Amino acid sequence: MADQQPPDAAVGKKKRRVKKKPTETSAEAVPIAQRPTKKPSLTFEDRQHFDYIREATSKNVWYYRDRLSVPRGPCNLPVLRECWVQGVIDEGTLVWGQGLADWLPVRNVRTLVPQIRTLEGKFDVQQFPPERVRNFSIIAHVDHGKSTLADRLLELTGAIKKGGKEQYLDKLQVERERGITVKAQTASLVYRYKGEEYLLNLIDTPGHVDFSYEVSRSLAACQGALLLVDAAQGIQAQTLANFYLAFEQGLAIVPVLNKVDLPAAEPEKVAEQMHQVFDIPPEDCLMTSAKTGFGLDAILPAVIESVPPPPGNTAGPLRMLLFDAFHDEYRGVICMVEIIDGHLRKGDRVVASSTGDTYDILEVGIMTPEPASTGQLCTGQVGYVITGMKSTRSARVGDTWHLVKQPVEMLPGFKPTKSMVFAGIYPITGADFDALSAAMDRLILNDASVTVRRENSAALGAGFRCGFLGLLHMEVFHQRLEQEHGAMVITTSPTVPYSIEHTDGSHEEIQNPAQFPLGKKLSGVWEPTVAATVVTPSEHLGSIMELFQERRGEMLEHTVLSPARTLLRYTLPLAELGGNFYDSLKSITSGYASFDYDEGEMRKADLVRLDLLLNSETVDALARIVHRDKAQRIGGKMCEAMKEKMGRQQFEVIIQAAANNKIVARETLKAFRKNVLAKCYGGDVSRKRKLLEKQKEGKKRMRRVGSVDVPQDVFHALIKS
Ligand SMILES: Nc1nc2c(ncn2[C@@H]2O[C@H](COP(=O)(O)OP(=O)(O)OP(=O)(O)O)[C@@H](O)[C@H]2O)c(=O)[nH]1
């Protein structure tokens, strides 16, 4: 094991070495024959080995990771940002990283694992029996102010400082970039009310329909919900959907009208709407402005008064619900749990009911909103546990855990989600498949609503077919894979699951358009529909109806909510929600209409498979299933987009679209050879070689379809066409 010098001494020593003797790398320490010529990619066995070492060293300050990012700052290997490790991290281990000409033997690696805040000995969760615990979610339509209100409540209870980062609980990069919540987040607050301290557990939930699985799971760990409604916009489609989710689970509802500071706010009218639609007495609605802080003081007392304490049995054996999980680079799998009955302590040995696997509780604590260890959790409390679980797949969201040899009745768990949209996800190059697979495992741990299956494409190689709850969900998943896990991927056109009826009466579900049978007589093709709800200012009714008609929608209901607002219900094919449906709806109503949908029935439709061909070779990854009437228009658009994006090749390329094998559109791309040496007049041969090598490198990023090279961004562009 490496030496145990104080970190500063080690830092100084290593810095001097690296600076003064840059050649003192593995060149001297390792015989040439042993030196690899390129960055190693770790094998599965390596990773297993690493896991073993992690355990062996977890109590020391040493650490390793298969792909170790060493942040800048005081560190004994300051030049390394990404470093590939050969073998076990120990004295003499070879590492390679950005800025290093060669492999470097490690002399001293100190852990860079951020320390979890500890409240052990300072904060006793036992002082909060269930009567003084409240678990509640904040639910609302998109942008009605959930995260902003959560900020104010965190500030009010001193969990975060005033004037800090806005929407504190929106921690993901994708959330901050898009300004939406995609992941439910938990925070425990201590609040003094009528002379007694209460432990309040707040869960901020997403508003968009594609993430409603997050809402329903969060509600399972709560006994109440703050139903937030924008006092200017009133009840919207997702307000209805979330209200019913909470109502069906029997939660206490605390109605709050937010944004009363806005000039357009009409809190009295909205309170009246709440009465009409939800039967909530107008006088029960709290008025607040999460922006200015108006009315904030009334919220937590209302939660304490209206939300019942968690009903668990304090004396019973431990029974806990795993309702969420995520992967932390340094600590592995972190599970979010609610203690339904009994008591959990660090060091306990627990069993996961669904798999029978046993784990030691290495750490347990609450989110404040950052994790803070408390050493135990009592009945009704919500917090996190770390078990040293090896595989991300072992953390099954909805699972019941109990103590070894103390079996309990399983909790009902969560309804499995039904994927509404499918797409293929492929690594940019085949060599990245293993890395993508690991990244998917980690992300799926944090997003249990995604379904994944291995698949192969002739054009894109080995990859995965993933099921999502909607198109936004698919886009966010793609973005998170890239941003949080560094996996660069190609996503194929989204498709919905179709059911094919063969002439012998049998049915087959297809989730990939390339499976759609060609040249075979079929009895019928069935597509999924949705029951859509739109709440809109009445002046936009005409244009909304036109939009739905164009998207093959059929009206089910037309209700006037108030003289100015109307509710419409339509049934329409799920596939029609793709493309620019949301953008069109937004632009024709200037963003004033709200939209939500529920799964509908399967409906028979006249559908064909639309293929894209390059020099008569089908690109399987670009196949889609479309309505016969739209095949020619969509095919034409795809060919145009392909021509525009692909750039000329060294030979002519014929781009065609075929609907059920019949050509419906065609474009021709003229031959062209880009002469990268055009501007190199005479002279330097090494510069010419460099340019040619760069060109060769660029070609690697292309996908070969038959004899045609397709750049990866073409796939992205065609998905949107
Ligand atoms: N004027 C005013 N603006 C507010 C108030 N509360 C929130 N906002 C603004 O409304 C916008 C949306 O707020 P968020 O807190 O992100 O809304 P959200 O409900 O969490 O959004 P999603 O998680 O995407 O559903 C932000 O620009 C906030 O600054 C309020 O009381 N008054």
Side-chain angles (χ1 to χ4, degrees):
M1 186 43 67
D3 64 31
Q4 302 276 326
Q5 301 172 46
D8 293 344
V11 170
K13 202 167 154 190
K14 179 49 81 182
K15 262 191 182 160
R16 271 200 306 281
R17 277 197 182 132
V18 172
K19 272 193 177 169
K20 284 188 182 168
K21 292 186 184 176
T23 50
E24 191 198 347
T25 62
S26 57
E28 291 145 23
V30 186
I32 297 288
Q34 259 180 282
R35 268 188 275 145
T37 50
K38 57 175 188 168
K39 293 180 280 184
S41 61
L42 292 171
T43 62
F44 181 65
E45 287 70 33
D46 287 336
R47 288 205 192 105
Q48 280 192 325
H49 191 35
F50 278 7
D51 275 352
Y52 167 72
I53 294 305
R54 178 179 203 138
E55 268 196 352
T57 60
S58 63
K59 293 203 174 52
N60 299 321
V61 286
W62 307 103
Y63 87 122
Y64 74 87
R65 274 191 299 137
D66 52 350
R67 197 157 176 263
L68 152 80
S69 296
V70 182
R72 291 179 196 286
C75 140
N76 55 345
L77 294 172
V79 284
L80 301 189
R81 294 220 66 232
E82 284 200 324
C83 137
W84 280 263
V85 181
Q86 203 190 31
V88 175
I89 278 242
D90 204 343
E91 230 176 306
T93 302
L94 293 185
V95 295
W96 183 93
Q98 187 184 314
L100 288 183
D102 206 342
W103 290 78
L104 181 75
V106 170
R107 298 273 151 67
N108 192 338
V109 176
R110 291 258 160 203
T111 184
L112 297 164
V113 176
Q115 288 301 305
I116 280 199
R117 211 175 123 210
T118 178
L119 293 174
E120 286 174 52
K122 297 178 221 158
F123 179 81
D124 183 9
V125 286
Q126 287 199 65
Q127 62 176 307
F128 298 101
E131 312 82 84
R132 282 195 287 114
V133 173
R134 299 289 184 275
N135 299 322
F136 67 101
S137 286
I138 309 183
I139 55 173
H141 184 75
V142 184
D143 277 353
H144 279 198
K146 296 175 289 294
S147 305
T148 312
L149 181 68
D151 279 355
R152 297 295 89 79
L153 297 178
L154 290 172
E155 287 171 3
L156 182 79
T157 51
I160 59 170
K161 285 202 187 104
K162 275 192 184 163
K165 187 169 85 173
E166 281 183 21
Q167 277 106 27
Y168 187 92
L169 293 179
D170 287 348
K171 293 177 184 165
L172 306 178
Q173 191 180 343
V174 56
E175 292 179 317
R176 304 204 76 82
E177 281 175 13
R178 290 177 180 250
I180 55 167
T181 307
V182 305
K183 188 72 207 145
Q185 292 291 350
T186 305
S188 296
L189 321 170
V190 176
Y191 183 69
R192 181 170 277 279
Y193 178 62
K194 292 191 177 166
E196 296 217 84
E197 283 198 329
Y198 286 80
L199 183 64
L200 306 179
N201 192 73
L202 167 161
I203 306 184
D204 178 24
T205 62
H208 196 281
V209 56
D210 280 17
F211 307 104
S212 57
Y213 187 56
E214 288 288 317
V215 183
S216 61
R217 262 183 317 128
S218 308
L219 294 182
C222 294
Q223 288 73 43
L226 279 182
L227 177 69
L228 211 60
V229 183
D230 183 324
Q233 289 188 8
I235 293 172
Q236 297 292 319
Q238 203 58 29
T239 319
L240 288 166
N242 284 332
F243 170 83
Y244 288 114
L245 268 183
F247 189 71
E248 279 162 18
Q249 299 200 17
L251 302 194
I253 308 271
V254 181
V256 180
L257 306 187
N258 189 32
K259 304 198 186 182
V260 292
D261 61 299
L262 286 177
E266 296 178 309
E268 288 76 24
K269 280 196 183 159
V270 178
E272 194 42 50
Q273 248 184 27
M274 299 284 276
H275 187 212
Q276 272 175 16
V277 182
F278 302 131
D279 206 17
I280 293 175
E283 59 280 12
D284 286 3
C285 295
L286 301 174
M287 309 280 173
T288 167
S289 163
K291 192 160 191 175
T292 64
F294 170 83
L296 208 63
D297 291 343
I299 291 185
L300 293 180
V303 167
I304 293 172
E305 296 287 350
S306 316
V307 177
N313 174 5
T314 46
L318 173 74
R319 182 157 70 140
M320 64 178 173
L321 168 74
L322 192 158
F323 68 90
D324 201 358
F326 55 96
H327 187 268
D328 180 279
E329 277 192 289
Y330 302 102
R331 301 178 198 101
V333 180
I334 300 188
C335 300
M336 298 301 305
V337 297
E338 183 189 4
I339 309 295
I340 306 293
D341 300 315
H343 194 143
L344 176 75
R345 289 182 186 80
K346 186 168 158 180
D348 279 348
R349 194 156 178 79
V350 297
V351 183
S353 301
S354 67
T355 57
D357 293 344
T358 55
Y359 306 105
D360 286 325
I361 301 292
L362 303 179
E363 192 179 307
V364 46
I366 53 174
M367 306 296 282
T368 63
E370 302 309 328
S373 69
T374 53
Q376 56 182 327
L377 280 177
C378 306
T379 310
Q381 295 174 358
V382 172
Y384 73 91
V385 295
I386 299 179
T387 61
M389 193 180 273
K390 290 274 181 300
S391 157
T392 50
R393 286 166 201 255
S394 312
R396 300 206 178 168
V397 169
D399 204 355
T400 311
W401 287 15
H402 57 84
L403 291 176
V404 169
K405 294 192 188 142
Q406 295 190 24
V408 294
E409 197 183 321
M410 268 184 88
L411 297 158
F414 304 128
K415 260 201 271 169
T417 50
K418 189 160 189 295
S419 303
M420 305 288 264
V421 171
F422 290 88
I425 292 190
Y426 292 86
I428 302 267
T429 65
D432 295 337
F433 179 81
D434 283 347
L436 173 61
S437 176
M440 296 268 274
D441 272 357
R442 274 182 244 138
L443 186 50
I444 286 163
L445 175 72
N446 197 224
D447 186 351
S449 57
V450 179
T451 58
V452 179
R453 210 165 35 78
R454 281 279 305 262
E455 83 169 2
N456 279 296
S457 149
L460 302 177
F464 300 93
R465 178 125 300 245
C466 301
F468 304 97
L469 300 183
L471 286 160
L472 177 65
H473 184 206
M474 181 186 100
E475 280 175 28
V476 164
F477 188 83
H478 181 146
Q479 200 174 336
R480 289 186 70 189
L481 261 181
E482 294 195 346
Q483 289 178 341
E484 293 166 36
H485 301 278
M488 301 304 286
V489 295
I490 294 175
T491 308
T492 64
S493 299
T495 181
V496 298
Y498 294 94
S499 173
I500 288 181
E501 191 182 347
H502 293 283
T503 43
D504 61 2
S506 63
H507 282 258
E508 181 193 356
E509 186 184 287
I510 58 168
Q511 296 171 354
N512 183 346
Q515 296 166 340
F516 191 95
L518 288 177
K520 199 173 156 196
K521 206 165 164 8
L522 300 172
S523 290
V525 185
W526 304 72
E527 64 177 343
T529 62
V530 293
T533 308
V534 186
V535 178
T536 173
S538 305
E539 71 257 32
H540 302 304
L541 270 183
S543 18
I544 290 187
M545 286 175 177
E546 256 174 50
L547 175 69
F548 275 96
Q549 202 169 357
E550 190 220 320
R551 301 274 171 159
R552 299 189 281 136
E554 285 168 20
M555 193 189 279
L556 300 175
E557 186 188 331
H558 180 165
T559 308
V560 178
L561 288 180
S562 69
R565 293 193 88 76
T566 306
L567 181 146
L568 296 174
R569 275 192 221 277
Y570 270 89
T571 172
L572 85 160
L574 173 60
E576 295 289 345
L577 294 186
N580 50 4
F581 176 83
Y582 287 101
D583 292 344
S584 308
L585 185 65
K586 238 190 220 167
S587 75
I588 59 179
T589 62
S590 314
Y592 281 111
S594 68
F595 179 81
D596 183 37
Y597 63 84
D598 273 329
E599 208 179 302
E601 293 176 338
M602 295 295 280
R603 191 166 80 178
K604 200 167 182 178
D606 188 9
L607 301 171
V608 292
R609 168 168 151 188
L610 187 65
D611 279 309
L612 197 90
L613 292 88
L614 295 177
N615 284 349
S616 310
E617 231 15 274
T618 306
V619 190
D620 63 347
L622 293 177
R624 28 170 107 172
I625 295 170
V626 299
H627 195 269
R628 192 182 295 276
D629 296 348
K630 295 187 176 180
Q632 191 167 3
R633 185 164 55 83
I634 299 175
K637 267 193 179 172
M638 283 171 77
C639 290
E640 269 172 35
M642 180 60 116
K643 181 177 175 186
E644 187 193 316
K645 284 277 166 187
M646 196 162 70
R648 292 195 201 169
Q649 307 260 326
Q650 286 162 17
F651 43 84
E652 190 177 78
V653 179
I654 312 287
I655 305 168
Q656 292 166 308
N660 276 3
N661 275 344
K662 198 174 139 224
I663 303 296
V664 290
R666 175 193 159 123
E667 294 282 344
T668 308
L669 191 64
K670 292 268 180 290
F672 174 71
R673 180 176 189 271
K674 186 168 182 205
N675 183 2
V676 286
L677 303 181
K679 287 186 189 150
C680 289
Y681 303 111
D684 190 4
V685 72
S686 67
R687 168 150 175 72
K688 285 183 180 169
R689 197 177 307 130
K690 240 187 196 164
L691 285 169
L692 286 170
E693 259 166 27
K694 211 168 140 204
Q695 189 186 34
K696 204 163 122 204
E697 201 43 46
K699 287 195 168 173
K700 271 195 207 152
R701 276 186 267 122
M702 299 198 175
R703 283 287 174 180
R704 184 157 275 266
V705 177
S707 55
V708 186
D709 288 323
V710 185
Q712 47 161 304
D713 55 346
V714 168
F715 287 93
H716 292 293
L718 283 174
I719 289 169
K720 305 222 160 190
S721 69

